[in-house]
Amino acid sequence: MRAMFEIRGLSKRFGGLQAVKAVDFDLAEGEVVGLLGPNGSGKTTVMNLISGVFPANGGSIRLGGRRLDGLPAHRIAKEGVSRTFQLVRLAPSLSVRQNVLLSLSFGARPVSGREAERRADEALSRVGLEGVGDARVPDLNYIDQKRVELARAVATRPRLLLLDEWLAGLNPTELRAAIALVGSLRDDGATILLVEHIMEAVRALCPRSIVMRAGEKIADGPTAEVLNDRRVVEAYLGGAAHV
Ligand SMILES: Nc1ncnc2c1ncn2[C@@H]1O[C@H](COP(=O)(O)OP(=O)(O)O)[C@@H](O)[C@H]1O
Ligand SMILES: [Mg+2]
């Protein structure tokens, strides 16, 4: 059987830097997989390639058997890929609901009018922001801004959700709430690729993890095993202070 999502030989060069080197992996429908690695190892670049922020130099990306590589970002969104960014990117002058409506107009099946407003409010309550639709983004605290970003990503009912350090910067109480929220998306059957440095979150949410070092995939398997893998431990010791 073919995997729901499949990456083969994915490569990206920035000038003289090979940021992603022939990376392969599959995701099954409903899987929540951690994408780990020290700073600069190429995780965000993989997310950017999947979502079409920029084109790959080589390799293929398939969702449900359809090629995504080579498509522009808005077409990839229509194919069912949604993402959050490492830094929150919301339109500050718009209301919370308008921010979610914006993403709905780019989704797989664009909706408008009352139906779109209903879907936006449904997404907002899904992430714990019931009744907050009329607020302005700058008036929200940090975790609620992150919730808006997640609402934008889930409102389109994506087939694949990419979370890039969505849990970063939260205090311990907020972190627990945020882990529970992502866990509830998983329980609803979401397929998620999760870039994350917070190992408590990775252990709680990801039965399986993939680890990158200097653009290469160096491990892929059950999270507990991967985190004990000698190459992974060395990558972190030699790379960054995280973990
Ligand atoms: N748009 C870009 N232009 C040039 N270099 C980039 C760009 N994006 C990432 N890089 C470089 O690619 C490497 C991988 O970066 P990145 O994917 O952001 O790593 P990670 O998310 O794992 O910390 C780094 O050396 C980074 O400086
Ligand atoms: Mg990154």
Side-chain angles (χ1 to χ4, degrees):
M1 203 190 78
R2 189 156 218 176
M4 200 254 320
F5 180 72
E6 187 188 278
I7 281 181
R8 290 291 176 273
L10 190 67
S11 299
K12 180 65 182 177
R13 216 176 31 248
F14 294 114
L17 174 79
Q18 190 72 43
V20 176
K21 299 176 189 165
V23 166
D24 298 334
F25 64 84
D26 291 345
L27 302 180
E29 186 144 21
E31 246 194 322
V32 178
V33 175
L35 181 59
L36 317 180
N39 279 334
S41 56
K43 307 176 300 293
T44 295
T45 302
V46 167
M47 301 295 228
N48 285 337
L49 294 171
I50 295 170
S51 56
V53 172
F54 35 61
N57 296 114
S60 63
I61 303 171
R62 284 186 177 81
L63 180 68
R66 288 166 68 100
R67 288 284 288 259
L68 299 185
D69 50 284
L71 298 180
H74 71 276
R75 288 280 310 282
I76 293 172
K78 286 199 192 308
E79 291 291 330
V81 177
S82 260
R83 71 174 295 178
T84 62
F85 286 87
Q86 194 165 350
L87 300 169
V88 174
R89 289 193 190 184
L90 297 168
S93 60
L94 299 180
S95 73
V96 164
R97 185 181 295 102
Q98 285 166 329
N99 267 278
V100 180
L101 287 169
L102 262 185
S103 92
L104 277 167
S105 58
F106 293 112
R109 287 169 297 279
V111 282
S112 55
R114 295 291 293 273
E115 171 63 7
E117 285 180 17
R118 195 189 61 72
R119 285 271 296 276
D121 285 341
E122 178 188 280
L124 286 170
S125 48
R126 185 69 191 76
V127 301
L129 290 179
E130 192 144 21
V132 182
D134 293 324
R136 300 274 139 186
V137 171
D139 296 334
L140 301 183
N141 65 22
Y142 186 62
I143 187 175
D144 284 349
Q145 292 190 15
K146 295 204 145 204
R147 288 183 200 271
V148 178
E149 220 210 346
L150 189 62
R152 269 162 54 122
V154 300
T156 59
R157 300 176 185 160
R159 300 177 70 188
L160 173 64
L161 178 60
L162 307 174
L163 300 182
D164 194 354
E165 301 199 32
W166 184 75
L167 297 149
L170 301 176
N171 70 35
T173 310
E174 293 170 334
L175 181 63
R176 272 197 299 279
I179 290 174
L181 178 52
V182 177
S184 75
L185 298 177
R186 177 196 58 197
D187 296 344
D188 282 352
T191 307
I192 304 176
L193 186 61
L194 183 100
V195 169
E196 196 45 74
H197 279 305
I198 302 167
M199 287 302 138
E200 177 193 348
V202 173
R203 287 197 178 87
L205 293 167
C206 306
R208 175 184 154 213
S209 291
I210 294 165
V211 186
M212 294 182 68
R213 177 183 62 192
E216 283 178 280
K217 183 176 101 170
I218 59 165
D220 183 349
T223 296
E225 283 175 31
V226 155
L227 294 178
N228 281 323
D229 183 290
R230 185 181 51 81
R231 296 183 70 194
V232 172
V233 174
E234 283 173 2
Y236 275 100
L237 292 176
H242 293 290
V243 129

